[in-house]
């Protein structure tokens, strides 16, 4: 079961910053998850929202700023304000990284799980994403995920070898199950909301060779329950917690104990 660090170790450090990614790897994550948007001058940057107001002091859209303007913003202080118990002085003043900076920093020492966010806002984002994957020598170490079927199908047409994960909002297992045969035509797996995962959905996906990577689970009992359902990976804001659950699971399996 893969340990996907959702926005990095975003439960303990400001999401999508180097400290969050550094910590995720140190805590045992198998994949660093990125959300990408595109600046006005066409650079892919890692942050979750299309607007900057939640994680910086600016209220603009990412698409309206140049990279220089975006990287002048402080993307760490909000975390110190929101989570005083986890605040650290070094988080103040953290920059929003470009996707290329992330790829260059960790290189082949990490695996990447990149989401094309709001692709309708950013024509050409799929081409630029693939260009960076190739330029940084990361083909085979990067998964691409999206809620947008159009973005996934476009990426598949550009590079049929790159593994894709189709994300699903909370719609219920039966609705997701209906889409699986079509999804299997271009994707390697699905990312349903964890509350939508049941045994039948996991089996139906596996019957079509689709991996199941539920999002986003932070409670230990939830991680264990998904493991018992046979999912192939889990998105979590607490990769250290999931790493401990997986270690315990392997030990128990080694001695023939259930779960
Ligand atoms: Ca995401």
């Amino acid at each position: 079961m893969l340990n996907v660090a959702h926005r990095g170790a975003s439960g303990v450090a400001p999401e999508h910053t180097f400290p969050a990614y550094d910590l995720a790897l140190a805590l045992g994550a198998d994949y660093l998850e990125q959300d990408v948007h595109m600046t006005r001058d066409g650079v892919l940057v890692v942050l979750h929202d299309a607007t900057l107001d939640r994680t910086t002091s600016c209220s603009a859209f990412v698409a309206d700023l140049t990279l220089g303007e975006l990287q002048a913003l402080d993307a760490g202080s909000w975390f110190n304000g929101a989570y005083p118990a986890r605040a650290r002085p070094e988080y103040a003043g953290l920059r929003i990284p470009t996707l290329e900076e992330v790829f260059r920093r960790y290189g082949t020492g990490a695996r990447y799980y990149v989401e094309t966010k709001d692709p309708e806002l950013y024509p050409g984002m799929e081409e630029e994403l693939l260009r960076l994957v190739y330029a940084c020598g990361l083909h085979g170490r990067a998964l691409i995920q999206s809620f947008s079927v159009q973005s996934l199908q476009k990426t598949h047409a550009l590079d049929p070898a790159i593994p894709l994960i189709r994300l699903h909002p909370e719609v219920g297992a039966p609705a997701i199950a209906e889409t699986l045969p079509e999804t299997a035509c271009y994707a390697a797996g699905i990312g349903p909301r964890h509350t939508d995962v049941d045994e039948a959905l996991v089996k139906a996906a596996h019957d079509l060779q689709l991996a199941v990577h539920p999002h986003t689970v932070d409670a230990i009992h939830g991680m264990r329950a998904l493991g018992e359902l046979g999912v192939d990976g889990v998105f979590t804001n607490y990769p250290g917690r999931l790493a401990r659950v997986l270690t315990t699971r392997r030990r128990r399996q080694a001695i023939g104990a259930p779960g």
Side-chain angles (χ1 to χ4, degrees), residues 6-7 33-35 48 115 117 145 167 235:
H6 183 240
R7 313 182 195 176
E33 197 244 3
Q34 286 83 36
D35 297 296
H48 181 268
E115 178 176 352
K117 272 297 198 211
Q145 47 161 338
L167 301 173
F235 288 73

Side-chain angles (χ1 to χ4, degrees), residues 27 173 216 244-245:
L27 293 168
T216 295
R244 288 192 294 279
V245 167

Side-chain angles (χ1 to χ4, degrees), residues 4-19:
V4 182
H6 183 240
R7 313 182 195 176
S10 58
V12 290
E15 64 187 56
H16 293 314
T17 63
F18 289 139

